[in-house]
Amino acid sequence: MSQLIHDDTIDHHVNARACRDARFAERLRAVLTQQAMQTARDEIRTWPGYHVTPLVDLAGVAAHTRITSIHYKDEDKRFDLHSFKALGGAYAVLRLLKRQLPSATTEELLAGKHRDAATHVTVCCATDGNHGRSVAWGAHLFGVACVIYLHHTVSQAREDAIRRFGAEVRRVRGNYDDAIRQAAEDADTHGWFVVSDTSYPGYMSIPRDVMQGYTVMIDEAVQQLPQPPTHCFIQGGVGGLAAATVAQLWEAYGERCPRIVVVEPDQAACLITSAREGRPTPVHGDLDTLMAGLACGETSLLAWEILDQGVDDYLTITDHAAVDAMRLLANGIDGDIPLVAGESAVAGLAALLIARQDEALSAGLGLDTDSRVLLIGSEGATDQALYERLVGLAVEDIDTGAKQHA
């Protein structure tokens, strides 16, 4: 088998605390529940522009890597935000607003019937780009004011995408975690509401809503899969997406839940660090990675309640591996539909390909010719200029997948 990924630097940690019994289910359901997923699903389905995003069969890549199947959930097609984050931040904004205006219905809020009252509510958050765009979009959709905090490495294109929904943008020195702290301080000063995708002591309710929104995407994937997966490779970040993925796959498959492999950038690996320490453990520094959506140094405490026992393996990859995977999807292979996948979307694919090129690592992850892998393509080209520079192709020349799924 020829190499599809040319940078095979990788760190692997097997989670000795992984659990598949009733004790874990109890811990999981204290955070996320099937009833709350159904509530989120029924709500989000009513929003303008909602449709189930494609689950793409990467049969060509699967054949090349000698496994049975690879299915890729393509979140480039999620609303007009090109990211799964649309399901989380905007849903949490709506839930918060309904708590402030308990007599208001979603239909009334969308129609602007409570606009005068809604405008007195201000939401804020820190972001690497996609979560902030979702919060800004939700604020615009439901009529509340919005302030978004960006650290210095977030691109101008991602800032412009947030401003497009009328949000005020403030730049913060330092990294993502510094921006989180600044947003929390300003919210406390001004009486705003933080709508964060990460949780910390005393702040759990809204991140729970964000994560519950993400479970809607995994529920869609479960309904689309032709067979249960044996493995799911999922991005890291603060852990919210990974926790939502574990929760919904567990609800679907119980003790037959696929092997969960969390993948992080080697320069921002707070989850693998936490797993090795057995508790949420921050990593420090610039967190300088092209995978901007995963450039996080502190684990979400709420997500950790699920990840601690719900994840089987942790892997780290380099930026070079991510770029190789982006190019592979953009060009297609052996008949696969070309896809636009952003830097953070391909972490799982890159790790899977590296693993299949390494006999010992592949065996350590339980990968073989019978494996069926689920990947979450969490974003498209959320910074189009950067994407085109990395891939070497224009977006409009790649996205034939959109045409075939239209």
Side-chain angles (χ1 to χ4, degrees):
M1 180 182 68
S2 61
Q3 288 195 342
L4 297 179
I5 299 287
H6 299 292
D7 184 342
D8 59 1
T9 304
I10 202 160
D11 185 14
H12 178 207
H13 173 71
V14 180
N15 183 18
R17 292 178 55 78
C19 182
R20 289 288 188 276
D21 62 19
R23 291 170 299 169
F24 169 65
E26 184 178 349
R27 187 173 180 182
L28 182 158
R29 289 168 182 151
V31 179
L32 299 173
T33 68
Q34 198 58 0
Q35 181 179 2
M37 184 284 294
Q38 292 166 356
T39 298
R41 181 186 62 194
D42 293 346
E43 172 63 64
I44 290 169
R45 282 176 173 176
T46 70
W47 295 359
Y50 170 79
H51 66 267
V52 175
T53 54
L55 186 72
V56 181
D57 185 355
L58 297 180
V61 180
H64 197 90
T65 54
R66 295 177 288 108
I67 62 177
T68 294
S69 66
I70 301 172
H71 285 93
Y72 178 94
K73 184 68 166 162
D74 184 12
E75 290 298 294
D76 181 40
K77 313 301 186 292
R78 184 65 69 184
F79 293 107
D80 190 31
L81 275 70
H82 306 289
S83 166
F84 82 102
K85 292 280 189 177
L87 296 171
Y91 179 62
V93 168
L94 177 61
R95 294 271 293 175
L96 183 152
L97 185 56
K98 282 188 169 182
R99 286 192 290 270
Q100 300 304 305
L101 305 174
S103 65
T105 67
T106 300
E107 183 179 17
E108 289 171 344
L109 291 170
L110 287 170
K113 291 185 178 180
H114 300 274
R115 186 74 57 173
D116 289 345
T119 54
H120 292 291
V121 175
T122 299
V123 296
C124 69
C125 73
T127 186
D128 290 307
N130 289 342
H131 176 69
R133 190 185 306 194
S134 175
V135 170
W137 176 65
H140 175 76
L141 199 62
F142 301 114
V144 304
C146 183
V147 182
I148 303 294
Y149 291 77
L150 306 180
H151 55 92
H152 76 283
T153 63
V154 177
S155 71
Q156 186 61 46
R158 292 189 170 104
E159 176 179 337
D160 292 343
I162 291 167
R163 289 186 184 277
R164 180 162 64 95
F165 297 112
E168 176 187 345
V169 175
R170 299 184 181 184
R171 288 279 181 172
V172 175
R173 291 182 180 178
N175 59 30
Y176 172 70
D177 301 302
D178 295 311
I180 288 175
R181 285 185 280 271
Q182 188 63 59
E185 289 176 12
D186 288 359
D188 187 57
T189 299
H190 299 294
W192 301 341
F193 296 92
V194 177
V195 179
S196 178
D197 59 351
T198 192
S199 59
Y200 40 84
Y203 181 75
M204 298 288 179
S205 177
I206 289 175
R208 191 189 313 271
D209 289 337
V210 172
M211 290 164 58
Q212 204 70 73
Y214 298 162
T215 63
V216 173
M217 171 185 61
I218 306 303
D219 177 65
E220 290 178 358
V222 166
Q223 304 308 317
Q224 293 168 303
L225 282 164
Q227 289 181 283
T230 62
H231 295 72
C232 178
F233 283 67
I234 186 68
Q235 295 86 327
V238 299
L241 171 59
T245 300
V246 172
Q248 199 55 36
L249 291 179
W250 172 267
E251 293 291 357
Y253 303 116
E255 293 183 10
R256 297 180 299 111
C257 184
R259 187 164 182 159
I260 305 294
V261 184
V262 166
V263 184
E264 298 179 280
D266 59 354
Q267 298 301 305
C270 63
L271 298 183
I272 193 172
T273 301
S274 297
R276 284 186 167 132
E277 293 295 324
R279 66 184 189 281
T281 304
V283 295
H284 303 288
D286 291 337
L287 310 177
D288 189 14
T289 171
L290 282 173
M291 292 171 268
L294 308 181
C296 309
E298 296 185 20
T299 302
S300 168
L301 297 184
L302 196 62
W304 182 253
E305 287 299 304
I306 294 174
L307 301 180
D308 180 33
Q309 294 182 307
V311 174
D312 298 284
D313 301 87
Y314 293 85
L315 298 174
T316 66
I317 62 167
T318 67
D319 285 351
H320 297 295
V323 173
D324 277 354
M326 292 169 67
R327 291 171 178 165
L328 183 152
L329 289 180
N331 287 285
I333 182 173
D334 296 340
D336 286 347
I337 297 170
L339 296 171
V340 173
E343 312 90 86
S344 297
V346 296
L349 175 61
L352 170 63
L353 296 176
I354 292 171
R356 290 303 282 158
Q357 293 168 184
D358 182 321
E359 186 174 340
L361 179 57
S362 194
L365 292 167
L367 290 165
D368 56 31
T369 55
D370 293 325
S371 297
R372 301 180 300 274
V373 178
L374 172 63
L375 302 174
I376 305 301
S378 55
E379 64 176 12
T382 55
D383 181 334
Q384 186 169 329
L386 173 62
Y387 175 87
E388 293 179 349
R389 186 165 70 250
L390 293 174
V391 173
L393 294 168
V395 167
E396 57 266 24
D397 295 334
I398 298 168
D399 205 5
T400 58
K403 300 170 186 175
Q404 295 200 32
H405 290 287

